[in-house]
Amino acid sequence: MKKQGLLCVLLFFVSFGTFVVYPVFVSFAQDRVAAAKKEGTLTLYTTIAEKDLPTLVKPFESKYGVKVNVWRAGTSNVLQRAVAETSAKKYDVDVVHIGSPEMEALAREQVLLPINSPVHKDLQPGSVPAHRQWAATLLSVWVQVYNTKLVKKESLPKTYKDLLDPKWKGKLGIEGKDEDWFASVVDVMGGGETGLKFFRDLTATNGLSVRQGHTLLNNLVISGEVPLALNIYNYMPEQAKKKGAPIDWFALEPAIARSNAVGVARHAPHPNAALLFYEYLLGEGQQYFVSMDYVPSNTKVASPLKGIRIVQTNPARALDESDKWGALFESTVVRRR
């Protein structure tokens, strides 16, 4: 029987007595590629660094013959534009790629389309929420970073609890705005008052040099002012190490990660091209994230953190409890140093 596929089927969903129109994609992968080529283009709203966009986008355009038009801005601007345009029924965007907490905000505003994709099963745990309106593409993993001239590899802590050893007194640094990392480590260390007690004990016993900015903290490790830093994104020390700086990194497990994610607009004007790009970013496009020193969400792709257990921060908690955890971080660590 000959396979049939429609370019775009409209599914009517009854919700509180109203009809909502969703684009549904062609049934077969080969038909979808043909449909995407016929659409010819898609529009991406993203925060991806301008210098990284060609590495990620050009292979897709070359392979599939679909032009990716990019509107790049800061996270809040992407979020606000996507919400405002949807509210005004101005449907220009096909795909959005920003931080997971902001993607969760877009999901709550009904900007994104729920998607079932075979590639989801290959992603790290925590990469796809139950509503399936976005999926993590890359992980910014916080690792522990040390100055190789001041700290011997064999003396490194193996667990978070090892940081309480008095030998680390006056040697530890921390970035002071990562409340989602802080909340996740509190969970790892027993949650609630038990987890908070770990940070209170750490601050009281060994002290924490609190700095603002991951790049600054990374540079202070290189200079030796901070021998061991607790929460720097993995790619920063790796890039500095490749340039010959006296710096290296390791990961206390579970390592904590903040994700960026991709979603397809609920009213995407180019739905097949949008889904093709969505699956590209989660599948074959993952290799290009790795080439830029990011950690891929797809477990089948070679990762710089291969074999390390990773826990992703909770985007919903980041949205709903940001003030709470920011205040706890401030009172437990920042003001007690």
Side-chain angles (χ1 to χ4, degrees):
M1 183 176 181
K2 185 178 179 181
K3 293 181 179 179
Q4 300 293 325
L6 296 175
L7 295 183
C8 184
V9 180
L10 295 181
L11 172 68
F12 294 91
F13 176 77
V14 180
S15 174
F16 301 105
T18 61
F19 286 94
V20 182
V21 182
Y22 298 97
V24 178
F25 309 97
V26 293
S27 301
F28 306 103
Q30 61 268 39
D31 293 332
R32 186 181 305 126
V33 171
K37 286 184 177 180
K38 187 169 183 178
E39 290 171 353
T41 187
L42 68 90
T43 297
L44 169 68
Y45 290 179
T46 186
T47 57
I48 295 172
E50 188 172 357
K51 66 180 178 60
D52 293 338
L53 282 167
T55 300
L56 196 61
V57 169
K58 283 187 177 180
F60 174 83
E61 292 179 326
S62 297
K63 181 174 181 178
Y64 295 109
V66 176
K67 172 67 176 175
V68 180
N69 297 309
V70 179
W71 184 75
R72 183 189 173 279
T75 300
S76 61
N77 289 335
V78 173
L79 178 63
Q80 290 168 9
R81 180 170 179 171
V83 171
E85 288 183 348
T86 300
S87 297
K89 297 184 179 180
K90 180 185 178 183
Y91 304 131
D92 290 339
V93 64
D94 293 291
V95 180
V96 182
H97 186 282
I98 52 178
S100 291
E102 291 75 27
M103 293 298 288
E104 183 64 24
L106 290 179
R108 294 180 183 184
E109 294 293 331
Q110 299 296 300
V111 173
L112 304 175
L113 183 73
I115 292 175
N116 277 323
S117 172
V119 76
H120 288 170
K121 70 180 186 304
D122 298 329
L123 305 183
Q124 290 269 2
S127 294
V128 184
H131 54 63
R132 308 182 322 280
Q133 294 183 52
W134 54 263
T137 54
L138 63 90
L139 307 179
S140 296
V141 183
W142 287 286
V143 296
Q144 290 66 54
V145 181
Y146 65 101
N147 183 294
T148 54
K149 293 181 178 179
L150 301 176
V151 178
K152 295 181 179 179
K153 189 173 184 178
E154 56 269 23
S155 71
L156 294 172
K158 294 181 172 55
T159 67
Y160 290 102
K161 191 174 180 180
D162 289 345
L163 293 168
L164 296 172
D165 190 317
K167 73 180 182 180
W168 297 113
K169 186 176 181 64
K171 297 180 179 180
L172 303 177
I174 192 170
E175 204 286 327
K177 293 294 184 181
D178 286 336
E179 63 266 13
D180 44 353
W181 170 84
F182 172 76
S184 296
V185 177
V186 167
D187 289 344
V188 168
M189 298 308 294
E193 284 302 314
T194 302
L196 290 170
K197 184 178 184 299
F198 162 74
F199 275 103
R200 293 189 186 109
D201 291 347
L202 180 60
T203 304
T205 303
N206 292 328
L208 290 170
S209 177
V210 180
R211 306 301 176 121
Q212 304 299 327
H214 300 96
T215 300
L216 171 62
L217 187 55
N218 195 64
N219 288 337
L220 292 175
V221 173
I222 292 171
S223 70
E225 185 173 338
V226 176
L228 175 63
L230 302 185
N231 55 332
I232 296 179
Y233 293 128
N234 66 288
Y235 62 88
M236 291 183 173
E238 184 62 25
Q239 291 174 351
K241 178 183 175 182
K242 289 176 180 177
K243 294 178 181 178
I247 193 171
D248 208 346
W249 61 271
F250 64 104
L252 296 174
E253 294 190 47
I256 311 300
R258 176 189 287 161
S259 65
N260 280 35
V262 62
V264 172
R266 193 171 290 250
H267 299 280
H270 309 98
N272 293 291
L275 181 59
L276 191 64
F277 191 64
Y278 173 93
E279 295 194 321
Y280 165 81
L281 290 183
L282 297 172
E284 60 190 291
Q286 290 277 293
Q287 62 184 304
Y288 303 113
F289 285 124
V290 174
S291 72
M292 295 181 285
D293 294 315
Y294 292 111
V295 176
S297 62
N298 194 313
T299 59
K300 292 189 174 181
V301 178
S303 169
L305 271 73
K306 183 178 180 180
I308 295 173
R309 185 162 68 95
I310 297 172
V311 171
Q312 296 185 46
T313 59
N314 185 330
R317 179 165 68 179
L319 278 181
D320 299 331
E321 302 180 17
S322 177
D323 290 344
K324 168 190 170 181
W325 286 102
L328 282 170
F329 194 19
E330 183 81 11
S331 62
T332 306
V333 174
V334 177
R335 292 179 184 172
R336 292 172 62 94
R337 67 187 191 273

